[in-house]
Amino acid sequence: MFSLRSPGVSERTLIPRGKSYSPREKYKLKLYPKVKPWVDIRARNILNLVTMATGRDACPVILTSGASCRLNALFSLTYLKKVAVSIYALFLWILMPLHRRGISSEKTEEGKSQASYRKSVSVKKLPVQRRRNIRRDKEEEDDVCRRRALAMKSRAFDGSAWKHCLFLNSRGETLFTQSWTPLNRDIKALVILLHGLNEHSGRYTHFASQLNSCGYKLYGMDWIGHGGSDGLHGYVPSLDQVVEDTKMFLQKVRLENPGMPCFLFGHSTGGAIILKAALDPNVEEMVRGIVTTSPALRVSTTHPIFMAIAPLFSLILPRYQFGPANRRGTAVSRDPEALISKYSDPLVYTGPIRVRTGSEVLRICSYLQQNLKRITVPFLVLHGTTDTVTDPSASRDLHDQAASEHKAIKLYQGLLHDLLFEPERDEIANDILDWMDNKMEH
């Protein structure tokens, strides 16, 4: 048998189990209560193997303790399992409120429904939550009414008939739409406009006048949470829903104008929306082509970590205004008057980007980058080379990788993000009109 003596804090030796201790040994054990008078089974088996291999009856073996033992315990399988279980439990705790919302109200075996049971259990908490939701919904409703009243102000100009309309989507939400119809010329085609993030369709009055003068009727639709449409200002719960709203609005416009050629126009994130909508074969059949300026195919964040944490935080705090994600001092136009007009417009959202909205923009960008080769609709893409909001090289990738037979790209040297609000806006509008006229002739 091996014996254990206690020479110091950093050493262990073997002692036989069941040995009677001398007063001196008992005193040492009291000084080092953490040093057990036996070794674990694995250590004892190793020592037995050593004894059998060497053939010696007694061999003093010293095992190290202290930092090395604690390090082994830290990376042990049991410890790692405990850490994994703790992380999993934390993740389930975060998702618990989302899971409870989806619980069905089927009846239990005792004949009591789950809904009535939960109501009886949490009856004291329900009024507090209900009052909070009512207050938030009331504030949101008041803001929507204020924004809609501003959006309904006439945006007519000479030679055009302006009209607004409220459009009900498949989710029962009211979207604000408007149209500009030429009065002095016959209508030869329709254009449906999707504005960019945080703005609204009413900003494009000058572009509408240019289209009307050439015989194009323009329709504009405000996304959910933008302009005069329902929803919290600047908050987009899902860009896929905006894509579906665009498809529904396109069908509505086509029914109102049977047999009339139609084009889709989108700026920035609006360009990403119409590109994703055009992946639907039914949409491709309904349009002659699409035009996009500064499409959001690849956007840069203020820090790379935001791209990693955005999906998780969009589930926990979807409406939260995340200020650090906003780029300070980012210019979108070289026209000072255009900048003043944009950021003084009460229908333009100028607050910090909301977490879910930012996550949705990143998600649609990633989706389009993976599906550029599926795009077959005729398109024209325009981009400024010094755009710091969306990446001009992504527009080159779109032009190079798309499977469309009829596609064109034009890059404007030195221009920024809002091309139709740059000093060269008339030149850019003429390039768009020339491309659409060419598609009409062929």
Side-chain angles (χ1 to χ4, degrees):
M1 297 294 292
F2 292 92
S3 62
L4 176 68
R5 60 184 180 83
S6 182
V9 180
S10 61
E11 295 181 349
R12 286 183 184 177
T13 56
L14 296 175
I15 76 169
R17 299 179 64 183
K19 175 187 175 182
S20 59
Y21 299 99
S22 64
R24 184 178 180 182
E25 289 176 333
K26 290 181 180 180
Y27 174 76
K28 290 182 178 180
L29 286 176
K30 288 181 181 179
L31 290 178
Y32 309 104
K34 294 183 180 180
V35 179
K36 297 182 179 179
W38 62 84
V39 293
D40 60 342
I41 296 176
R42 286 186 297 173
R44 191 181 304 115
N45 290 338
I46 293 174
L47 293 173
N48 291 336
L49 290 175
V50 173
T51 303
M52 294 173 62
T54 58
R56 300 174 183 176
D57 294 334
C59 178
V61 179
I62 298 177
L63 301 177
T64 61
S65 62
S68 61
C69 293
R70 291 193 295 271
L71 207 58
N72 292 335
L74 180 62
F75 292 100
S76 65
L77 183 60
T78 303
Y79 183 81
L80 293 177
K81 285 183 178 180
K82 291 180 180 180
V83 172
V85 170
S86 301
I87 295 175
Y88 183 68
L90 177 62
F91 183 72
L92 291 180
W93 177 78
I94 292 174
L95 295 183
M96 188 69 70
L98 301 177
H99 174 69
R100 288 178 178 175
R101 295 178 185 176
I103 297 178
S104 62
S105 57
E106 297 179 355
K107 292 185 177 181
T108 61
E109 296 179 357
E110 295 77 14
K112 183 184 295 184
S113 66
Q114 294 285 359
S116 61
Y117 176 74
R118 290 197 304 272
K119 183 177 179 181
S120 63
V121 171
S122 59
V123 65
K124 295 182 180 180
K125 296 182 179 180
L126 191 58
V128 177
Q129 184 68 20
R130 183 177 298 171
R131 284 198 299 268
R132 185 186 306 154
N133 290 339
I134 289 177
R135 183 169 62 253
R136 187 186 68 187
D137 293 345
K138 183 65 169 58
E139 293 175 355
E140 182 178 316
E141 183 179 352
D142 292 343
D143 181 62
V144 170
C145 292
R146 179 187 61 83
R147 288 189 282 115
R148 187 164 297 160
L150 293 173
M152 287 182 177
K153 290 184 178 180
S154 177
R155 300 178 187 274
F157 47 83
D158 293 341
S160 174
W162 176 81
K163 179 182 178 182
H164 73 271
C165 180
L166 299 180
F167 170 65
L168 198 67
N169 64 17
S170 59
R171 301 177 302 281
E173 298 165 331
T174 302
L175 304 180
F176 180 83
T177 68
Q178 53 191 331
S179 62
W180 293 267
T181 306
L183 297 177
N184 303 327
R185 298 197 55 170
D186 294 335
I187 302 174
K188 61 181 180 182
L190 311 172
V191 178
I192 296 178
L193 181 144
L194 266 292
H195 59 79
L197 182 67
N198 297 334
E199 57 173 0
H200 60 100
S201 59
R203 295 189 65 229
Y204 292 83
T205 304
H206 181 70
F207 185 51
S209 66
Q210 294 172 300
L211 293 177
N212 283 179
S213 64
C214 296
Y216 290 93
K217 181 177 181 178
L218 178 65
Y219 286 87
M221 183 190 78
D222 292 350
W223 314 352
I224 190 70
H226 288 70
S229 295
D230 282 355
L232 178 65
H233 201 194
Y235 175 65
V236 182
S238 171
L239 281 178
D240 287 338
Q241 295 178 357
V242 181
V243 172
E244 294 302 318
D245 294 343
T246 302
K247 295 178 182 179
M248 287 188 62
F249 186 57
L250 173 61
Q251 294 176 350
K252 176 180 179 294
V253 170
R254 294 273 298 174
L255 290 175
E256 294 176 354
N257 303 270
M260 190 71 66
C262 185
F263 293 90
L264 290 177
F265 172 88
H267 172 65
S268 192
T269 310
I273 291 170
I274 65 172
L275 284 171
K276 188 169 184 178
L279 291 174
D280 187 342
N282 295 327
V283 173
E284 185 176 355
E285 292 179 359
M286 289 189 288
V287 299
R288 290 286 183 94
I290 63 176
V291 180
T292 174
T293 57
S294 311
L297 299 174
R298 188 183 302 124
V299 297
S300 59
T301 59
T302 54
H303 196 283
I305 195 174
F306 294 152
M307 301 185 70
I309 66 176
L312 175 61
F313 278 88
S314 69
L315 295 175
I316 305 173
L317 300 169
R319 296 169 173 243
Y320 180 73
Q321 295 172 296
F322 193 59
N326 284 22
R327 287 184 175 273
R328 298 182 180 274
T330 302
V332 294
S333 173
R334 295 176 293 113
D335 186 352
E337 294 184 1
L339 292 176
I340 294 174
S341 175
K342 177 177 182 178
Y343 294 114
S344 62
D345 188 341
L347 293 181
V348 173
Y349 177 74
T350 57
I353 190 168
R354 301 188 187 275
V355 174
R356 174 67 61 81
T357 304
S359 176
E360 286 296 304
V361 173
L362 295 175
R363 191 169 66 89
I364 197 172
C365 289
S366 175
Y367 177 85
L368 289 174
Q369 289 177 27
Q370 298 173 14
N371 291 273
L372 292 179
K373 296 180 180 179
R374 292 179 50 203
I375 298 175
T376 57
V377 64
F379 68 83
L380 168 66
V381 57
L382 310 172
H383 218 131
T385 58
T386 55
D387 187 350
T388 57
V389 179
T390 57
D391 192 350
S393 64
S395 292
R396 296 191 190 97
D397 295 340
L398 168 64
H399 179 264
D400 296 340
Q401 299 181 28
S404 305
E405 294 183 6
H406 304 283
K407 54 186 178 180
I409 182 173
K410 187 164 185 179
L411 301 176
Y412 298 92
Q413 192 66 32
L415 270 63
L416 299 177
H417 185 66
D418 289 349
L419 291 181
L420 290 178
F421 297 90
E422 286 278 64
E424 299 84 357
R425 60 178 68 91
D426 292 337
E427 174 190 346
I428 296 169
N430 289 332
D431 291 339
I432 295 173
L433 288 167
D434 290 343
W435 185 85
M436 291 194 300
D437 289 342
N438 183 59
K439 291 299 301 176
M440 292 289 295
E441 295 174 0
H442 301 85

